[in-house]
Amino acid sequence: MRGTVMIDGELVPPERAVVSIFDRGFLYGDSVFEALRTHHGKLVFLDRHLARLERSAERVLIRLPASVAQFREEAIAAVSAHGASESYVRIMLTRGNATSLGLDPDLAENPKRIVLVTELKLPSPEMHERGISAVVQRVERPSDEVGVASAKIGNYLVPVLALRAARAAGASEALLEDAHGNVLEGSTSNLFAVIAGKIVTAPESAAILPGITRARVLEVARAAPYPVELRAISRSELALAKEVFITSSIREVVPVVKIDGRPIGSGEPGPIARELLRLFRASLV
Ligand code: PMP
């Protein structure tokens, strides 16, 4: 894999960009991160991503080793050093090196920040034009009482395995169902449905990842105006929805036309998903 890497503010050649095996991110998935992209060379919603990184770090008690302004400058400098017309960017923050083994967060020193800039692989145009299929996967989700809920933590094993199961079933996204039968988000996306004329998506209080794309889609939807309702969507409601779509920084707004092998609505991308993609893209410039 090729890319431009900056560790603690210093550009490091990719072949020498290594993290210690004593790093808590490696030992315990004890890290937080952001994933974002450029549009016309500029980092999209950088400030919102940095605010979420700061919130994630706060939730899991990782001290920010530099100011948000410095994180901002470093991300922009790394993208510029990379030099591609468009890039994919990950900003990562680990709790740092273990001083000895043990879960106690105090057994770590020097939180480490990393910016990785690499090729932006955009979804094919067909994904937006024809929509995708998804399957629902029942998973264990962190409850709201736990600090990691709604923090973007480094350990993605639950989504990794859910996505693998989806791919094995011939689908391109896994939609994650909780113990109450609510389908809250995708493996790496937020979930929306059009139900009884309203655009419905789970509230942030449902311990979803508060997607940056979700927030902007809600803004353009409300401004349009479309009626919006923030509430959890049950699995049975989802199957009967007129439209379903997912959002993420890389995929923007993607219609879901089939869930668990059954068509959603007409089985084609719906007008609201199409319009929201158009409005979202128009809002980026
Ligand atoms: N939920 C999860 C679990 C995710 O990993 C992502 C991707 N970061 C999203 C939602 C979408 O968030 P965003 O729009 O900020 O990319």
Side-chain angles (χ1 to χ4, degrees), residues 52 152 156 185-190 209 211-213 247-249:
R52 188 170 67 185
K152 197 164 168 64
Y156 253 58
E185 64 187 334
S187 68
T188 54
S189 58
N190 288 109
L209 185 83
I212 308 296
T213 319
T247 62
S248 81
S249 295

Side-chain angles (χ1 to χ4, degrees), residues 88-164:
Y88 170 92
V89 178
R90 270 181 77 128
I91 304 173
M92 297 168 260
L93 171 64
T94 89
R95 199 181 299 277
N97 272 2
T99 51
S100 73
L101 288 181
L103 292 185
D104 186 346
D106 287 339
L107 299 175
E109 59 187 12
N110 303 331
K112 188 179 283 299
R113 60 191 192 281
I114 297 153
V115 184
L116 168 61
V117 188
T118 186
E119 183 192 355
L120 176 64
K121 291 194 190 117
L122 287 177
S124 67
E126 293 90 72
M127 199 154 162
H128 289 115
E129 280 154 24
R130 297 208 198 124
I132 59 162
S133 59
V135 294
V136 175
Q137 290 285 314
R138 168 77 178 83
V139 296
E140 289 305 323
R141 297 183 55 82
S143 77
D144 226 7
E145 297 84 63
V146 184
V148 297
S150 67
K152 197 164 168 64
I153 56 167
N155 188 329
Y156 253 58
L157 269 179
V158 169
V160 163
L161 296 179
L163 186 65
R164 193 194 118 96

Side-chain angles (χ1 to χ4, degrees), residues 34 49 52 132 134 141 150 152 156 173-176 183-193 199-218 230 233 238 244-256 280:
E34 282 300 317
H49 280 278
R52 188 170 67 185
I132 59 162
R141 297 183 55 82
S150 67
K152 197 164 168 64
Y156 253 58
E173 177 62 301
L175 304 175
L176 311 181
V183 187
L184 296 172
E185 64 187 334
S187 68
T188 54
S189 58
N190 288 109
L191 176 69
F192 290 74
I199 297 173
V200 185
T201 193
E204 289 188 15
S205 58
I208 56 166
L209 185 83
I212 308 296
T213 319
R214 170 187 175 279
R216 175 52 66 92
V217 164
L218 285 174
L230 298 185
I233 304 164
L238 194 64
V244 173
F245 52 94
I246 55 166
T247 62
S248 81
S249 295
I250 309 302
R251 287 168 294 178
E252 304 178 307
V253 180
V254 175
V256 178
F280 174 80

